Amino acid sequence: MARRQLRDQRAIVTGASSGIGRELTRQLLAAGAKVVATARREDRLQELAAEVAAPQQLVIVPGDICDGALRTALVSAADEHFGGLDLLINNAGIGALGPFADGSPERLRQVMEVNFFAPVELIRAALPALRRGRSPAICNISSILAHRAVPAKSEYCASKFAIHGFSDALRSELASEGIDVILVSPSTTESEFSSAVIEKSGRQPAKGKGAMTSADVAKSAIKAVQSGKHEVILSLGGKGLVWLDRLAPTWADWLVTRFGFDGSAGRQSKKS
Ligand SMILES: NC(=O)c1ccc[n+]([C@@H]2O[C@H](COP(=O)([O-])OP(=O)(O)OC[C@H]3O[C@@H](n4cnc5c(N)ncnc54)[C@H](OP(=O)(O)O)[C@@H]3O)[C@@H](O)[C@H]2O)c1
């Protein structure tokens, strides 16, 4: 039996305007949860609100997740509209493509701001409300690249390793309070992610075809929230890479240096 019922759970979902976050919002609402959804593109959030079956269960709060005032407003909205907060899903994220040497300090800062500092600070803002919540949980949408880093995505990998390490530490800190900290690590997923990368520099790996849909990833993440499973790696290839890296790190190094993550480094595109 599920450890956590979703009906009437009060949730915040970040990055709800597209891809995985949009699907998370739809599926949570369909399961009877109440959702505060956020992202910068308000028109996309309005479209989502117009589509869902239970719009009265959805509150949209548009803004940049790097803005501390927005993060406070999200927690306040859950309190004001739903009377509290039980589930925080940190999903908003960005990528950058290209060798580290070709990137700028600003690229590194921006990736870390969105993928690490913003979700961690949202957790800080949400913790008092989560402590008062029913069966509370924090779910961080990470990546397989939080377990094994690859070339041309150094800043992104670093940000996802950081949220992985943070999640492990926080899980132990909050265990005695009954707050689950769940880390979900998808592999390449069909979404707007690759077209939204903030910078593409130098030689880049050829585009890999998404192995999973955003709906699949959302479904697995929600299942992990329901069961309270602490860590999920979603694809077979991802699991294989993680085990190879743990058991034979030198081979894993050779593999990603030679082929990149999606087996495409030998087919690199021209310098942009
Ligand atoms: N797609 C993949 O292959 C893949 C694989 C592994 C992990 N992931 C992870 O999955 C998560 C969701 O990505 P996705 O694939 O669904 O990509 P996506 O379709 O590009 O969605 C990213 C979401 O993040 C939001 N976002 C980005 N920067 C933001 C900011 N500064 N403030 C507020 N919201 C911001 C975007 O909304 P706005 O632009 O409207 O602000 C959008 O809703 C990310 O954390 C990503 O790292 C993706």
Side-chain angles (χ1 to χ4, degrees), residues 148-186:
R148 167 71 225 194
V150 299
K153 295 179 183 172
S154 57
E155 297 96 341
Y156 180 75
C157 293
S159 71
K160 294 296 184 179
F161 264 73
I163 200 77
H164 178 176
F166 174 83
S167 301
D168 285 353
L170 191 70
R171 183 179 304 125
S172 301
E173 289 182 20
L174 299 181
S176 62
E177 299 183 56
I179 304 178
D180 281 335
V181 178
I182 296 156
L183 188 78
V184 175
S185 299

Side-chain angles (χ1 to χ4, degrees), residues 5-118:
Q5 301 297 328
L6 293 176
R7 178 153 299 283
D8 291 328
Q9 274 256 313
R10 301 156 299 180
I12 292 173
V13 177
T14 72
S17 61
S18 68
I20 298 166
R22 182 181 167 85
E23 284 301 326
L24 281 164
T25 304
R26 290 165 63 96
Q27 292 182 26
L28 283 170
L29 289 168
K34 299 169 180 170
V35 180
V36 176
T38 187
R40 289 165 301 179
R41 286 171 293 175
E42 185 173 1
D43 55 331
R44 291 291 199 91
L45 296 174
Q46 296 287 5
E47 274 172 34
L48 178 62
E51 273 174 29
V52 294
Q56 71 284 2
Q57 306 270 84
L58 173 66
V59 172
I60 60 171
V61 182
D64 190 322
I65 201 61
C66 299
D67 177 0
L70 184 266
R71 295 191 293 262
T72 307
L74 294 174
V75 180
S76 301
D79 202 33
E80 193 182 313
H81 294 273
F82 306 142
L85 178 68
D86 310 306
L87 173 63
L88 167 61
I89 304 191
N90 278 311
N91 163 77
I94 53 167
L97 275 176
F100 173 72
D102 296 345
S104 62
E106 292 72 32
R107 179 168 97 180
L108 173 62
R109 290 269 159 200
Q110 200 181 342
V111 171
M112 292 300 289
E113 286 295 344
V114 178
N115 294 359
F116 180 66
F117 291 114

Side-chain angles (χ1 to χ4, degrees), residues 148 244-258:
R148 167 71 225 194
L244 179 71
D245 191 55
R246 283 180 191 165
L247 298 174
T250 311
W251 285 11
D253 278 345
W254 179 83
L255 197 72
V256 298
T257 303
R258 175 71 183 82

